Amino acid sequence: MKKVSLKNKRYTRARQLYELKRRKWANGTLKRSRSKPQKRTRKPDFVDAVAPREFTLEPSNVKKSLAYIGKVKKIGKQKKDVNFILEDVEKIGIGAISMLISVMQELEEKNVYFKGIKPNKEEAKDVLEQSGFMKFVDGTISEKNRLTKNVIFTTGKSNTHQKIIVDAIHKANHTVWGEYGRSPLLYGTLVEMIKNSCKHAFMSKEKVRWHIAINHDIVNKKVKFSFVDNGIGIVKSFEKDDAARTIKGIIRNNAQMIKLAYTKGIESKTGLSWRGTGLPTIYESFDEDKIIRRLVVITNDVYADFENNTQMTLRKTFSGTYYYWEIDTECVKHSFVNDDSD
């Protein structure tokens, strides 16, 4: 008989304790510990923020969507509250939603309040309600949109940890491949994104904020992932180093720098050490391992679409880092069945 390691024993015990807590939460014998609601210290002063008709981060819409995100941040910085006017939105993307949530959480910490109007178009309203967005604004969800595998988790509100991410990957594999299973490569990709945020994007660990949004397209056997942090961004993080002065003139612009940082690493071009050693690892999941598709990165003034080999400079910048990628049946299958997956 194979000997059970101490690590596995600890994991099994931790899982048993967590399941026991879940049962107690369900039957009411144990109350969840929740943060105290923020006290209103002033009368709300709402300003309308009218969203574009196509609120997505696709190349054709990214500039308008980033301008909208910027407007929301500007309203909050002026100590005003935000009224989201989404009634004319005809198309909305999970990436744009997760980016908006990251900004909302940043403003919420500054005592900014939110309310809004949902899209009139049924399809756009369904995407919004199914995304997980409504739990961040205490909004109502229609009956048909309550049962969904879609989820958004965030550092500050849901105490995201390893088990939640692993479970999300299990469900993603089920949607695409028809079986619950683990994927160490995909898990490692997410961990690299989180590590880069924690190490480079924020001034202190206490300020770290990131979100992961996962959207399941059951019919087409496709899962869409978005990761976003509202830190300083990859470009600004790099510029903090003295090395930035050395590469001036070698790299034409920030878009080229981001492309090199992922595809080859800055070191190969300049002979300098690149702080974000995890960036090429993220790219390998797309280019070499081929376990993900449609890898897109938005950071500072750069939009990089690696599948279409397109990099462009943005007029409206995003202070942070955003990733988008997909898994479908055209990807290389990297799913290992777990007997205990549910």
Side-chain angles (χ1 to χ4, degrees):
M1 179 181 291
K2 185 177 179 181
K3 187 177 180 181
V4 179
S5 68
L6 180 60
K7 183 177 180 181
N8 283 340
K9 286 181 180 179
R10 288 174 177 170
Y11 172 79
T12 302
R13 179 57 179 162
R15 183 166 182 170
Q16 289 172 342
L17 290 173
Y18 177 74
E19 292 301 327
L20 179 61
K21 274 189 176 182
R22 287 185 62 183
R23 288 195 293 270
K24 288 183 177 180
W25 288 335
N27 62 30
T29 58
L30 179 66
K31 290 186 177 181
R32 287 177 179 265
S33 58
R34 301 182 185 274
S35 58
K36 293 182 179 179
Q38 191 177 47
K39 292 183 179 180
R40 290 182 177 267
T41 58
R42 58 177 176 78
K43 184 179 179 179
D45 184 10
F46 286 99
V47 175
D48 290 349
V50 182
R53 288 185 179 274
E54 294 194 18
F55 184 39
T56 74
L57 297 177
E58 295 174 0
S60 58
N61 307 311
V62 65
K63 293 180 181 179
K64 289 183 179 180
S65 296
L66 288 180
Y68 178 67
I69 296 289
K71 181 178 181 179
V72 171
K73 290 188 72 171
K74 185 177 180 180
I75 293 172
K77 287 181 178 180
Q78 292 174 342
K79 298 183 178 180
K80 303 286 186 179
D81 305 303
V82 184
N83 182 24
F84 297 112
I85 306 298
L86 307 175
E87 58 184 340
D88 292 330
V89 172
E90 297 178 354
K91 186 177 181 180
I92 190 166
I94 188 68
I97 293 171
S98 59
M99 187 178 285
L100 184 60
I101 289 173
S102 74
V103 171
M104 288 169 59
Q105 186 173 5
E106 180 183 348
L107 295 178
E108 190 177 48
E109 293 170 358
K110 298 179 180 180
N111 205 29
V112 174
Y113 312 130
F114 307 99
K115 67 177 184 177
I117 303 173
K118 297 178 185 178
N120 288 328
K121 189 168 183 178
E122 197 71 14
E123 185 178 349
K125 185 173 74 172
D126 288 347
V127 172
L128 185 68
E129 289 188 354
Q130 293 173 9
S131 70
F133 174 82
M134 305 312 295
K135 71 177 182 179
F136 292 90
V137 293
D138 295 325
T140 58
I141 302 176
S142 58
E143 188 68 32
K144 67 174 182 176
N145 291 326
R146 289 178 184 173
L147 294 177
T148 175
K149 294 168 75 174
N150 300 342
V151 65
I152 299 177
F153 22 91
T154 171
T155 46
K157 291 190 175 181
S158 62
N159 297 320
T160 304
H161 54 76
Q162 179 183 3
K163 184 181 185 303
I164 296 177
I165 296 175
V166 169
D167 286 350
I169 291 174
H170 287 179
K171 291 175 182 176
N173 283 326
H174 182 261
T175 293
V176 177
W177 308 112
E179 59 187 25
Y180 293 99
R182 58 191 177 86
S183 177
L185 288 181
L186 179 56
Y187 178 77
T189 299
L190 280 164
V191 168
E192 287 297 342
M193 293 175 184
I194 295 170
K195 283 168 57 179
N196 281 322
S197 289
C198 294
K199 289 182 179 180
H200 308 308
F202 298 89
M203 299 300 293
S204 66
K205 291 182 179 180
E206 290 74 23
K207 293 184 179 294
V208 172
R209 294 288 182 272
W210 50 261
H211 303 74
I212 298 174
I214 304 176
N215 182 274
H216 293 254
D217 183 346
I218 306 296
V219 174
N220 296 306
K221 297 183 178 180
K222 179 187 296 184
V223 181
K224 304 173 184 177
F225 289 79
S226 293
F227 175 95
V228 60
D229 71 51
N230 57 340
I232 62 174
I234 297 172
V235 175
K236 293 296 182 183
S237 175
F238 178 67
E239 287 178 348
K240 291 194 302 182
D241 289 345
D242 293 336
R245 292 194 295 269
T246 307
I247 67 169
K248 202 121 179 174
I250 299 177
I251 296 177
R252 293 191 303 273
N253 53 44
N254 291 338
Q256 185 191 23
M257 185 193 76
I258 290 298
K259 179 181 179 181
L260 287 171
Y262 282 91
T263 59
K264 298 180 180 179
I266 294 295
E267 184 177 4
S268 65
K269 182 75 175 179
T270 65
L272 300 169
S273 174
W274 171 245
R275 291 178 60 200
T277 53
L279 302 186
T281 301
I282 294 168
Y283 181 74
E284 285 171 6
S285 295
F286 161 75
D287 185 59
E288 294 183 19
D289 301 323
K290 299 187 185 304
I291 64 167
I292 64 175
R293 298 182 61 231
R294 295 199 62 197
L295 177 63
V296 171
V297 178
I298 301 175
T299 185
N300 301 117
D301 65 342
V302 177
Y303 179 99
D305 181 340
F306 290 104
E307 182 151 307
N308 295 310
N309 194 25
T310 301
Q311 295 80 40
M312 62 181 179
T313 301
L314 301 169
R315 186 166 57 88
K316 293 290 184 179
T317 64
F318 172 64
S319 178
T321 303
Y322 164 84
Y323 292 94
Y324 174 87
W325 70 98
E326 296 177 356
I327 299 176
D328 60 21
T329 54
E330 292 186 28
C331 297
V332 171
K333 183 180 178 182
H334 190 264
S335 173
F336 303 96
V337 177
N338 282 3
D339 293 334
D340 60 349
S341 296
D342 49 23

